Amino acid sequence: MASRAALRLGVLISGSGTNLQAIIDAIERGEVNAQIAVVVSNRPGAPGLERARRGGFPTSVIDHRRFSSREEFDRALAAELKARQVALVVCAGFMRVLTAVMVREFPNRIMNIHPSLLPAFRGLDAQKAALDYGVRLAGCTVHFVDEGVDEGPIIIQAAVPVYPADTDDDLRRRILEQEHRIYPRAIGLFEQGRLTVAGRRVLIGDLPGPRPGRYLISPPLDG
Ligand code: GRF
């Protein structure tokens, strides 16, 4: 079968870029038929830019401090992404809230990863908020970005147990490990054309049916 052209990704970062690295690695392992058209950071010194340069990917810095409004920043960002023929925008540790300007340019074509089981713990420091709340299960969510904050249609989630002795860092690391697994998977499903947004829900084509016993109970029943 003729291979499909690789899905062109625009990856947005602000920090370390470990999710960017996980996506790069998944593409290199042949798990996702995508290519990174550009890595854009709103922060000039983001360490993730170094990861992109090491991988030989085009980078661009669009410093949000240089713009008079979020809308102006989004217009510059959208122009850069369109110029690179980006088909899917991937927010990966991107700390800016996107406005309707970007959402209108890329309807259901912007993904974000959030380190909580949305709709719980939206916003910043979600891992700490979950720990402080005393939850037994925490996790992460990949969702499409709409005009709200951390509330777009959910594509995939991963749950992790929270242990009594956990520090913020312990939980952050445990969640991050799952982020690195579910983000490439979500991009792959999109590339395969298997995601359809129906209102609040994302329908996924060709998924296996329910499998009994795939439940996570924390603390475990036999603990
Ligand atoms: C991660 O916890 C992610 O959930 C959040 O930003 C943090 C750093 O991501 N969106 P990365 O290491 O920069 O990809």
Side-chain angles (χ1 to χ4, degrees):
M1 180 181 82
S3 62
R4 282 189 303 270
L7 176 71
R8 290 178 66 82
L9 305 179
V11 185
L12 311 186
I13 64 168
S14 299
S16 55
T18 66
N19 277 285
L20 164 66
Q21 192 62 58
I23 293 164
I24 291 170
D25 297 347
I27 292 172
E28 281 175 3
R29 287 194 302 267
E31 292 167 11
V32 185
N33 177 29
Q35 60 177 300
I36 293 174
V38 65
V39 174
V40 182
S41 174
N42 65 299
R43 284 184 47 232
L49 285 170
E50 202 33 53
R51 292 181 193 275
R53 291 179 188 126
R54 267 205 307 273
F57 302 107
T59 60
S60 169
V61 174
I62 303 181
D63 185 338
H64 62 279
R65 294 169 302 184
R66 286 188 26 236
F67 296 85
S68 56
S69 72
R70 287 185 181 280
E71 286 72 17
E72 282 308 308
F73 170 80
D74 277 18
R75 266 187 277 280
L77 177 58
E80 172 71 19
L81 294 167
K82 293 282 182 183
R84 307 265 188 175
Q85 286 94 34
V86 163
L88 178 66
V89 182
V90 175
C91 299
F94 187 62
M95 302 314 276
R96 301 293 296 171
V97 172
L98 296 175
T99 71
V101 169
M102 266 292 289
V103 175
R104 272 199 300 266
E105 288 286 346
F106 295 94
N108 289 329
R109 289 185 163 272
I110 306 174
M111 286 185 186
N112 183 45
I113 190 152
H114 183 75
S116 80
L117 292 173
L118 291 175
F121 309 114
R122 291 165 45 200
L124 293 176
D125 293 331
Q127 304 93 330
K128 179 175 183 339
L131 197 62
D132 293 349
Y133 191 91
V135 300
R136 293 293 189 208
L137 292 172
C140 46
T141 302
V142 179
H143 62 93
F144 282 116
V145 171
D146 63 10
E147 298 186 27
V149 177
D150 299 332
E151 59 182 28
I154 291 172
I155 301 167
I156 187 168
Q157 294 186 297
V160 301
V162 179
Y163 299 109
D166 274 341
T167 63
D168 289 1
D169 250 11
D170 294 331
L171 184 55
R172 192 179 293 274
R173 264 199 303 274
R174 192 171 310 125
I175 292 172
L176 199 56
E177 201 178 328
Q178 300 310 313
E179 292 180 37
H180 298 161
R181 297 176 67 197
I182 66 173
Y183 219 165
R185 170 72 170 155
I187 296 166
L189 289 169
F190 182 95
E191 189 277 330
Q192 294 163 24
R194 293 170 58 187
L195 299 181
T196 307
V197 178
R200 257 230 59 87
R201 299 181 65 204
V202 176
L203 310 178
I204 302 181
D206 302 331
L207 270 190
R211 298 181 207 167
R214 305 279 294 237
Y215 309 117
L216 187 56
I217 297 176
S218 172
L221 296 181
D222 55 359

